[in-house]
Amino acid sequence: MWRRLLLRGTTCLLQVEDPNFLHQRHISSLCLRLVTQRLIHRPPAAPSVLRFPGAGYFLANNETRAYKKDTKSTVELPVCPITVTDIKQYIRSKDIPFHDGYSCLHIPSIFVESSARKDSFSLFIDKTTGQFLCKDTLVEGSWEDLQDCLEVMQKEEQDFLSPHVLLGYPESVEEQEERERELREVQRIWSSSVPLTDVPEDEAQLIKTMFQIPKVSNATLKKFGVRLFKPTKSLVFPWFGGPDSSLKGVKLLSAQNTDTDKVTYNEATVPKCSSYYNLFGLPLVNRMDSELVLTGHELDTLAVSQATGLPSVALPRGVSCLPPILLPYLEQFKRVTLWLGEDIRSWEASKIFSRKLGLRRCSLVRPGEYQPSPVEALAQGKNLSRIIKASIPAAHKSIVSFKQLREDVYGELLNTEQVAGVKWMRFPELNRILKGHRKGELTVFTGPTGSGKTTFISEVALDLCMQGVNTLWGSFEINNVRLAKIMLTQFAMQRLEENLEQYDFWADKFEELPLYFMTFHGQQNIKTVLDTMQHAVYLYDINHVIIDNLQFMMGQENLTVDKFAVQDHIIGAFRKFATNTSCHVTLIIHPRKEEDDRELQTASIFGSAKASQEADNVLILQEKKLVTCPGRRSLQVTKNRFDGDVGIFPLDFIKTSLTFSAPIKGKHKLRKVPIKPDDEEVEGHEVAPKKDDIKKDKAEKSNKTKKTPRPVKSPTTGK
Ligand SMILES: Nc1ncnc2c1ncn2[C@@H]1O[C@H](COP(=O)(O)OP(=O)(O)OP(=O)(O)O)[C@@H](O)[C@H]1O
């Protein structure tokens, strides 16, 4: 029997074998099946979406909510994008009082009985996404979930709902086991580590010297609950959270002193960094505190707190991202000072994060010689309070004088290397010409049809992503599975088809990359694409978007208008996006038809001159049609706005690994660095373990040092 269903505004036809399918449990499993088959995005949470004739509405009262973690790194726009005005209008229509906060709207929790509500406005709705979080119960969900809940409350004439009302994805057995294993690991580390105050004074001093925190007092370490895990000489930072302030996780920090007197830190978290949402220092914040210093590191928070007495919290993944799910915890502060570190990357991150936090309450500490990171400032005996007082307001006017710019200019002159951007590990020649990959730029990339544009740009982007550049792919031509397969092959630098036993090893490492995909395929509307990009920038602090390729946005536009004008409009929109969001956009554009044996030039890019005018960089994949060397490609940089250097270098394609970056005839020999006495590792590239090691690695999988941050998908609870 066929039944028509309306799910989140989409009509679905369902074949139903069981005539009693209207029973709650059937609907719930049916919805889950639909989700697994990706027919709908997630199970509908409540009645307004399930309109069975005569069925009334449906709530899964007995189901507990548990998001399926890390499902996919795909970015999709919410079914119906909303604005803050929509949210406000809806809330008003339900007669719910609200408080207009910085990043969120605050309403009374609907998951707590009114008599038991501790805080009258403890449910936070993200103004940008509509995502909500109830701080009292830690129930969270989408804007649609919240609307559904409110509809039910109204229909039922209830003044609160059970926190278990929302349907969730049940955890798989493996997920459950993994979670339990992680919890045991957290407990094991925590109980076998000791407070630094219990360590003999000379040993404690030695540890502090090792971590270069000689001036951080025992009292401060004790106050923040920092411990020492003796087996690895690591500092342990606890994550206490949830309504019961229980131990949710730990971060282990080890220090390594280098020849240059500088210390390098290695971090490991349990649970793994993709589910680690600790705002370290939060339990010490008072409900009435209205000022906060936000740092990029736990040690910095210790330094700020000790030197200034101000409340301070550290971001769980440093400057790489500020997950929106943490924003509700920062709503109470009228003034937030962002002091994220001592380099340009921290400075750029502080500007981006302050947009999420609300510019008007944020001020930024500009890194510089006299303003190093907080922990260094403390070690150097600087006055941290004065540095914080001298921080500059994040809100800026659109017209500025040189007086306001002079510090920026000075900073750029002082840090020329950092200003030049992230260097490629696999493409030294690109570094030589372009100097690096910079935020806010537009790169236009072209090359003959089928010459390997996607393959090449995939490796170029992967290289950056492996260094922590949060990357979003918009691949309209080839689907995400194929693209991910290319990238994974390039990542592993080998044909995985022939080494399937290594698949899990590489896939596990690949999964840790801050890499996301838009789910579009085929022709797309430019506005939808830009909205999705904007959404991803907000959620995942994307730094690099790759669009493959522009021609897939042309078809949707009104083609009675001049084709070139449409293309110019699209390029202009991407240019604006790059500038406004400080995100680098790489745009692949097909060339116009040239004669086969002619090399492409900037002017060969399809369309008018707008593409090359707007672009900061123009890259061309040249294909020489030589009989002697048919597959030979070169990469030509014909425009480089940063410093004007242009040039060309040859690319040798290795079919097994789909890479272009191998050493060229001994010219760019990579140093071999042994990692084990009997193993060799090419610089910047990992070696997969032998078959036997794979099993071991799986068992120990949890959390060895992870440098690359990962997406934000699971709740703050760390559940
Ligand atoms: N230098 C090369 N030599 C030989 N084959 C290559 C080279 N680079 C890529 N290929 C292969 O050519 C095929 C097409 O590559 P790719 O899709 O990257 O090209 P493209 O320029 O993006 O194509 P299109 O013009 O259709 O967008 C792939 O199978 C790829 O593995």
Side-chain angles (χ1 to χ4, degrees):
M1 162 192 0
W2 287 92
R3 282 293 171 100
R4 192 177 293 274
L5 262 186
L6 191 65
L7 292 168
R8 298 246 171 267
T10 311
T11 307
C12 304
L13 281 176
L14 294 176
Q15 192 167 26
V16 181
E17 283 155 18
D18 183 349
N20 299 318
F21 81 107
L22 290 182
H23 187 273
Q24 274 191 13
R25 283 220 312 279
H26 288 107
I27 297 175
S28 117
S29 69
L30 181 84
C31 294
L32 283 172
R33 274 213 304 282
L34 287 170
V35 173
T36 24
Q37 288 161 25
R38 297 195 58 70
L39 288 174
I40 56 170
H41 301 293
R42 49 186 202 83
S48 57
V49 288
L50 276 174
R51 296 198 183 102
F52 294 92
Y57 54 81
F58 150 75
L59 270 180
N61 282 312
N62 302 320
E63 304 258 359
T64 40
R65 182 170 177 75
Y67 274 126
K68 184 164 163 49
K69 286 184 208 161
D70 308 335
T71 29
K72 277 188 192 69
S73 300
T74 48
V75 178
E76 282 168 23
L77 262 189
V79 190
C80 323
I82 38 111
T83 64
V84 65
T85 318
D86 299 335
I87 302 177
K88 282 183 185 170
Q89 263 172 12
Y90 180 83
I91 295 176
R92 278 199 193 100
S93 76
K94 298 282 169 214
D95 279 336
I96 298 172
F98 69 89
H99 170 65
D100 196 351
Y102 298 97
S103 333
C104 307
L105 299 178
H106 314 177
I107 65 167
S109 174
I110 55 166
F111 302 106
V112 180
E113 250 186 285
S114 48
S115 56
R117 278 175 205 152
K118 279 186 266 167
D119 182 348
S120 50
F121 289 78
S122 60
L123 194 147
F124 295 78
I125 308 167
D126 188 305
K127 286 191 200 178
T128 312
T129 60
Q131 187 84 14
F132 77 90
L133 169 78
C134 163
K135 266 187 8 185
D136 289 341
T137 56
L138 297 181
V139 176
E140 51 135 7
S142 68
W143 171 235
E144 288 83 8
D145 288 333
L146 186 63
Q147 282 174 293
D148 293 340
C149 289
L150 291 170
E151 298 295 335
V152 173
M153 278 172 67
Q154 198 172 33
K155 278 196 190 121
E156 287 275 275
E157 294 178 4
Q158 290 178 0
D159 81 332
F160 81 103
L161 289 177
S162 151
H164 306 296
V165 75
L166 289 168
L167 257 179
Y169 295 82
E171 268 182 314
S172 67
V173 178
E174 296 95 67
E175 279 169 334
Q176 221 169 342
E177 280 171 3
E178 171 82 0
R179 196 161 57 84
E180 282 162 11
R181 202 189 55 72
E182 278 179 346
L183 274 175
R184 281 198 302 274
E185 182 70 353
V186 170
Q187 289 301 341
R188 188 186 69 80
I189 294 171
W190 188 240
S191 55
S192 49
S193 52
V194 286
L196 264 111
T197 37
D198 293 359
V199 175
E201 187 49 39
D202 53 340
E203 201 184 323
Q205 209 48 47
L206 205 72
I207 296 290
K208 287 189 198 173
T209 313
M210 208 168 99
F211 281 87
Q212 293 193 352
I213 49 168
K215 293 198 180 156
V216 173
S217 70
N218 285 352
T220 305
L221 291 165
K222 191 174 175 192
K223 186 170 139 191
F224 281 85
V226 182
R227 290 189 178 184
L228 178 70
F229 186 61
K230 282 191 174 174
T232 53
K233 285 203 168 39
S234 307
L235 290 181
V236 184
F237 301 98
W239 170 17
F240 294 109
D244 53 351
S245 300
S246 58
L247 184 67
K248 301 264 175 218
V250 286
K251 184 184 267 189
L252 288 156
L253 187 75
S254 57
Q256 219 177 358
N257 289 82
T258 57
D259 322 334
T260 54
D261 237 23
K262 271 236 150 205
V263 62
T264 48
Y265 298 113
N266 281 325
E267 289 181 2
T269 61
V270 191
K272 60 182 175 189
C273 66
S274 53
S275 349
Y276 192 78
Y277 292 95
N278 184 19
L279 276 174
F280 177 72
L282 197 66
L284 296 175
V285 169
N286 195 304
R287 263 169 179 266
M288 301 310 287
D289 286 332
S290 60
E291 194 175 330
L292 177 85
V293 180
L294 188 65
T295 73
H297 204 280
E298 289 77 5
L299 294 179
D300 287 332
T301 278
L302 298 180
V304 168
S305 168
Q306 177 176 316
T308 66
L310 288 170
S312 173
V313 298
L315 288 169
R317 272 164 265 170
V319 299
S320 69
C321 59
L322 166 54
I325 198 73
L326 297 176
L327 293 173
Y329 298 95
L330 303 172
E331 280 291 280
Q332 76 179 70
F333 305 104
K334 289 197 173 64
R335 183 180 148 95
V336 179
T337 308
L338 290 97
W339 190 355
L340 298 184
E342 71 292 337
D343 56 4
I344 289 271
R345 200 170 165 218
S346 318
W347 174 238
E348 284 175 343
S350 63
K351 287 194 274 188
I352 292 169
F353 295 170
S354 59
R355 287 185 210 160
K356 277 191 195 176
L357 289 162
L359 287 174
R360 63 199 154 99
R361 63 168 168 162
C362 291
S363 53
L364 321 175
V365 173
R366 180 197 298 279
E369 210 181 325
Y370 303 105
Q371 310 200 137
S373 65
V375 74
E376 251 180 80
L378 182 73
Q380 292 173 18
K382 294 195 184 306
N383 186 334
L384 275 76
S385 302
R386 196 176 301 158
I387 295 179
I388 291 168
K389 274 214 182 83
S391 58
I392 46 178
H396 64 277
K397 302 194 180 79
S398 35
I399 299 170
V400 288
S401 68
F402 179 68
K403 194 166 172 243
Q404 284 151 296
L405 288 178
R406 64 180 286 162
E407 283 300 313
D408 278 329
V409 174
Y410 181 73
E412 298 227 334
L413 294 173
L414 193 70
N415 302 295
T416 40
E417 267 306 290
Q418 288 176 29
V419 170
V422 181
K423 305 274 183 285
W424 285 273
M425 304 277 287
R426 297 188 179 192
F427 298 95
E429 292 288 335
L430 263 184
N431 293 334
R432 187 176 60 79
I433 303 172
L434 287 174
K435 310 301 175 297
H437 171 89
R438 291 164 292 274
K439 288 193 170 165
E441 291 195 348
L442 175 70
T443 294
V444 163
F445 180 50
T446 194
T449 307
S451 61
K453 293 185 294 299
T454 304
T455 317
F456 174 73
I457 218 68
S458 151
E459 191 182 6
V460 166
L462 173 70
D463 184 333
L464 298 167
C465 185
M466 285 164 70
Q467 298 177 66
V469 173
N470 302 338
T471 305
L472 174 69
W473 260 93
S475 172
F476 304 96
E477 194 168 61
I478 66 169
N479 69 39
N480 287 332
V481 176
R482 258 191 69 200
L483 176 63
K485 196 172 114 194
I486 295 173
M487 291 186 104
L488 185 63
T489 308
Q490 294 173 330
F491 182 67
M493 287 190 146
Q494 58 179 303
R495 265 175 75 84
L496 286 171
E497 289 93 326
E498 283 155 18
N499 300 302
L500 269 180
E501 77 283 356
Q502 289 186 16
Y503 179 81
D504 280 340
F505 172 83
W506 289 111
D508 282 352
K509 294 208 173 297
F510 192 71
E511 221 182 87
E512 291 298 318
L513 296 176
L515 180 63
Y516 307 86
F517 301 93
M518 289 188 238
T519 50
F520 299 129
H521 195 61
Q523 286 294 337
Q524 286 307 323
N525 170 295
I526 174 75
K527 181 164 184 321
T528 318
V529 175
L530 284 167
D531 285 350
T532 310
M533 285 160 59
Q534 192 76 45
H535 183 64
V537 165
Y538 182 78
L539 287 184
Y540 307 125
D541 296 296
I542 298 296
N543 310 123
H544 186 198
V545 182
I546 304 108
I547 299 290
D548 186 9
N549 57 67
L550 177 112
Q551 270 68 21
F552 280 86
M553 259 139 282
M554 303 275 292
Q556 294 271 310
E557 303 299 321
N558 183 357
L559 285 184
T560 51
V561 186
D562 173 13
K563 233 171 35 185
F564 289 168
V566 173
Q567 179 170 320
D568 288 356
H569 160 73
I570 295 171
I571 290 165
F574 281 121
R575 161 79 273 168
K576 202 165 144 204
F577 176 86
T579 310
N580 290 348
T581 58
S582 301
C583 188
H584 191 119
V585 176
T586 297
L587 190 57
I588 302 180
I589 304 184
H590 275 300
R592 63 171 73 138
K593 260 215 160 325
E594 300 274 10
E595 280 169 41
D596 269 2
D597 52 350
R598 274 190 47 198
E599 290 208 333
L600 297 175
Q601 302 160 1
T602 311
S604 319
I605 298 169
F606 177 80
S608 72
K610 175 100 169 172
S612 48
Q613 275 162 12
E614 292 275 28
D616 296 289
N617 313 298
V618 176
L619 270 53
I620 303 175
L621 188 65
Q622 297 286 9
E623 184 183 25
K624 281 205 187 115
K625 299 253 163 40
L626 297 176
V627 185
T628 46
C629 205
R632 200 64 194 273
R633 311 274 195 278
S634 333
L635 198 271
Q636 186 173 17
V637 177
T638 58
K639 181 178 179 186
N640 164 10
R641 188 172 272 154
F642 179 67
D643 72 353
D645 281 357
V646 292
I648 183 163
F649 59 92
L651 295 168
D652 275 352
F653 181 64
I654 301 179
K655 205 165 170 59
T656 46
S657 57
L658 302 178
T659 52
F660 289 86
S661 59
I664 307 162
K665 287 175 206 132
K667 226 172 152 190
H668 307 289
K669 266 207 177 129
L670 292 174
R671 194 163 52 92
K672 298 232 171 164
V673 184
I675 49 166
K676 287 188 216 154
D678 57 342
D679 235 348
E680 275 195 332
E681 187 183 2
V682 176
E683 192 178 44
H685 182 66
E686 278 188 89
V687 176
K690 297 178 183 86
K691 246 184 195 173
D692 294 346
D693 294 340
I694 292 174
K695 277 192 197 143
K696 242 196 267 166
D697 182 79
K698 266 190 166 175
E700 292 167 0
K701 200 163 89 184
S702 83
N703 292 300
K704 298 285 140 55
T705 303
K706 274 162 191 149
K707 286 193 175 153
T708 31
R710 265 269 308 186
V712 183
K713 272 180 210 120
S714 61
T716 351
T717 59
K719 266 192 278 177

